[in-house]
Amino acid sequence: MKKYLSLLTIFSLLMLATACQPAEQTNSEPQETKEWSIALHGGAGYVSENMPEDRKEAYMASLEEALSIGSEILANGGSALDAIEKTVNYLEDNELYNAGKGAVFTSEGRNELDAAIMDGSTLNAGAITGVTTVKNPISLARKVMTDSKHVFFSADGAETFADETDVERVDPSYFYTESRYQSLQRALEQEEEQSGLTPLTDEQKAWKYGTVGAVAKDVNGNLAAATSTGGMTNKKYGRVGDVPIIGSGTYANDEVAVSATGWGEKIMLNVSAHTLAMFYKLKGATLQESMDYLVDEVLEPGDAGFIAVDKYGNYSMKTNTGSMFRAATDSDGNKEVGIWE
Ligand code: ASP
């Protein structure tokens, strides 16, 4: 009898201990919702902390500027789609970033651009790959979403579709920048020195990562994601990265919006943006837990970085590459602008 009583005591204590544990917060519990929020990135990689001061200032100033473009639209009641398109347009026009002007070169010395946009409220999306004459690829991707019955156009087909729209066109030489061209030359030299499949050195990775993206939640509760890139330096003929693959580099639904940057092949193989969204949905995890799962458990160190917002207006930005140009803000006045982890 005594034995049963003490077992009962242990059982009761265990029950009590369990009941007293703070409940894990899940995303379905009511929580304070920010009216709007936005996060953006300008690429993840291995940027040295010894970067020259003037260059660092140029990056920080452009991240601030990009953030103010998007946040002003949202604060004035504009849509998440407008906010992310205009934010990405600014980054595409800025040659510091590997998208639009400033895009990296393919192994054949061309600039071939990829972009995708997704509207979380309709689950519609638009994507393009391999365009060479469209000044702002994200705007063409948006037109694919709104003005065509398809989701994804490639190369010549994407150019033909662009002919039917009013998006601004440029000569391919517009995308030339000396620094990106030199990066290609270095990559080609290194390639000759390497035999077989040698892992990338940190220096090589630093040249290769870039890409810009933005995610937002607007005052109407709609979420959207956009990503635009020149891809990876020295990419081979016809290579398509993660960016325009819906669910890999870009994804949005009515709960989260995600944009990726990093090693496109790894991002793609893990269907990364969609993985974060499904972890959030099916696990009931918070945005930060979902981000941690993707960056720390699904991907490997050095692979990639992501930005995301959720239906409550929370934002999260995380990379496992050492650095990611990034910025975020919300209607509560929270704000973060940074480069290193
Ligand atoms: N993810 C991009 C790609 O693989 C590159 C990058 O983010 O820099 O095309």
Side-chain angles (χ1 to χ4, degrees), residues 26-46:
T26 70
N27 70 43
S28 53
E29 280 165 30
Q31 51 180 278
E32 194 217 328
T33 302
K34 281 116 195 160
E35 281 195 337
W36 56 264
S37 64
I38 182 165
L40 63 93
H41 69 76
Y46 292 79

Side-chain angles (χ1 to χ4, degrees), residues 98 208-211 229 231-232 239 241-243 261-264 267:
N98 169 23
K208 284 178 183 258
Y209 295 173
T211 294
T229 189
M232 292 174 82
R239 181 263 190 187
D242 59 295
V243 168
T261 171
W263 188 351
I267 298 169

Side-chain angles (χ1 to χ4, degrees), residues 267-279:
I267 298 169
M268 248 191 280
L269 290 170
N270 290 291
V271 202
S272 298
H274 190 257
T275 294
L276 188 156
M278 288 306 108
F279 194 84

Side-chain angles (χ1 to χ4, degrees), residues 61-74:
S62 60
L63 291 170
E64 289 272 2
E65 179 63 22
L67 193 63
S68 70
I69 291 170
S71 55
E72 215 175 295
I73 292 172
L74 294 166

Side-chain angles (χ1 to χ4, degrees), residues 107-232:
S107 58
E108 292 152 326
R110 292 155 54 90
N111 304 103
E112 296 179 351
L113 313 171
D114 299 345
I117 194 163
M118 185 156 186
D119 180 352
S121 64
T122 59
L123 293 182
N124 198 2
I128 48 151
T129 183
V131 297
T132 57
T133 69
V134 177
K135 181 168 174 274
N136 293 107
I138 202 67
S139 298
L140 183 61
R142 187 169 177 183
K143 293 216 182 278
V144 173
M145 176 171 78
T146 53
D147 299 0
S148 88
K149 58 181 181 181
H150 301 298
V151 169
F152 195 178
F153 283 113
S154 73
D156 289 351
E159 299 283 348
T160 305
F161 176 71
D163 294 343
E164 294 167 13
T165 73
D166 59 358
V167 296
E168 193 174 342
R169 310 297 281 281
V170 289
D171 186 84
S173 61
Y174 163 82
F175 298 108
Y176 182 94
T177 55
E178 186 57 25
S179 66
R180 299 294 190 198
Y181 190 69
Q182 290 311 324
S183 296
L184 171 65
Q185 302 316 311
R186 286 198 298 273
L188 290 170
E189 276 163 30
Q190 291 246 348
E191 197 174 55
E192 268 175 32
E193 284 163 20
Q194 288 169 349
S195 53
L197 274 179
T198 321
L200 305 178
T201 63
D202 282 359
E203 200 194 347
Q204 284 174 310
K205 286 175 180 172
W207 312 332
K208 284 178 183 258
Y209 295 173
T211 294
V212 307
V215 292
K217 170 196 176 284
D218 63 31
V219 292
N220 294 316
N222 296 329
L223 304 175
T227 321
S228 180
T229 189
M232 292 174 82

